[in-house]
Amino acid sequence: MKTQKAFTLIELLVVITIIGILASLLMPALARAKAKGKDTACLNNLKQLGLAVTMYADENKGFLPDAEPLPSEPLDPSNPMPRICDVIAPQLGLGNSTNSSTVFRCPMDNQRRFETEGSSYEWNYVYSGKKLDDLKFGYRFRGGIPTEKAMLMFDYENFHLGRNGSNTNGQTNTKNILYGDGHVAMMH
């Protein structure tokens, strides 16, 4: 008679338990990596939007767009300005179909701003109608804010993880920002 070698039930349970423990240790690291990837996609979106704003200014005698900061609540309800996504859509090659464009959607937009405002990114109306060259060449707006700190567009909400992955409550706490000199960064 040949003896058959097989695993016992206890050995199988031990192996399954070890695999479960290893998987549970990997899950938080994978979640952080996924969130960092989404943060990077958002930064890339803002960089593309910055190029579109520059192209808009080039095509409009150097002037930045006029757009509502919060289209669902216009600054002047009797004379609302257009949404930023509609103003710079032609520079992105989108025509009039901004609703399906991912460049206006932050992957971390958990407040559904894209659906309500047309973009996950707010336009800083303080710079509406200003000359882009004034920002590029160091002129100062808003009480002396330097060009490299002039925030043109940014996330509506603090969608993103902080420098260490989260704040003390495990919540997101930073915004991605497009600055007047064209660079994009996270505000901590």
Side-chain angles (χ1 to χ4, degrees):
M1 287 181 73
K2 292 183 180 178
T3 59
Q4 291 183 338
K5 294 186 179 187
F7 291 108
T8 65
L9 180 59
I10 291 179
E11 290 172 326
L12 285 172
L13 290 174
V14 168
V15 169
I16 290 171
T17 303
I18 291 171
I19 291 172
I21 291 170
L22 291 174
S24 69
L25 293 174
L26 283 174
M27 293 307 279
L30 292 174
R32 279 191 304 275
K34 183 177 179 181
K36 287 289 185 183
K38 288 181 178 180
D39 289 346
T40 302
C42 178
L43 288 168
N44 183 49
N45 287 349
L46 279 169
K47 188 68 174 169
Q48 290 180 52
L49 293 174
L51 293 171
V53 167
T54 300
M55 289 170 44
Y56 176 91
D58 289 346
E59 295 169 5
N60 291 279
K61 300 179 183 174
F63 288 97
L64 291 168
D66 278 323
E68 286 289 347
L70 189 62
S72 62
E73 297 176 21
L75 295 171
D76 181 2
S78 63
N79 189 23
M81 293 182 282
R83 304 179 310 173
I84 190 65
C85 60
D86 298 328
V87 175
I88 62 174
Q91 287 72 28
L92 294 164
L94 299 174
N96 294 329
S97 62
T98 60
N99 292 340
S100 63
S101 175
T102 58
V103 74
F104 290 107
R105 181 191 301 261
C106 173
M108 298 292 282
D109 182 356
N110 54 11
Q111 302 294 314
R112 302 182 53 85
R113 291 293 190 163
F114 177 80
E115 287 79 9
T116 58
E117 308 300 339
S119 176
S120 299
Y121 308 107
E122 181 176 348
W123 172 252
N124 191 348
Y125 70 94
V126 171
Y127 300 110
S128 285
K130 302 284 192 237
K131 296 276 276 187
L132 180 60
D133 285 344
D134 291 348
L135 291 176
K136 286 182 181 177
F137 296 120
Y139 294 96
R140 295 172 179 244
F141 294 108
R142 288 186 71 194
I145 294 175
T147 302
E148 66 276 2
K149 293 186 179 180
M151 299 183 292
L152 293 182
M153 289 182 82
F154 40 87
D155 292 312
Y156 274 107
E157 306 292 336
N158 295 344
F159 299 137
H160 302 279
L161 300 176
R163 190 177 301 247
N164 63 351
S166 67
N167 65 17
T168 56
N169 300 325
Q171 302 295 315
T172 56
N173 61 351
T174 61
K175 289 184 180 192
N176 288 333
I177 301 170
L178 166 67
Y179 291 93
D181 65 355
H183 85 278
V184 177
M186 249 188 194
M187 180 177 69
H188 298 284

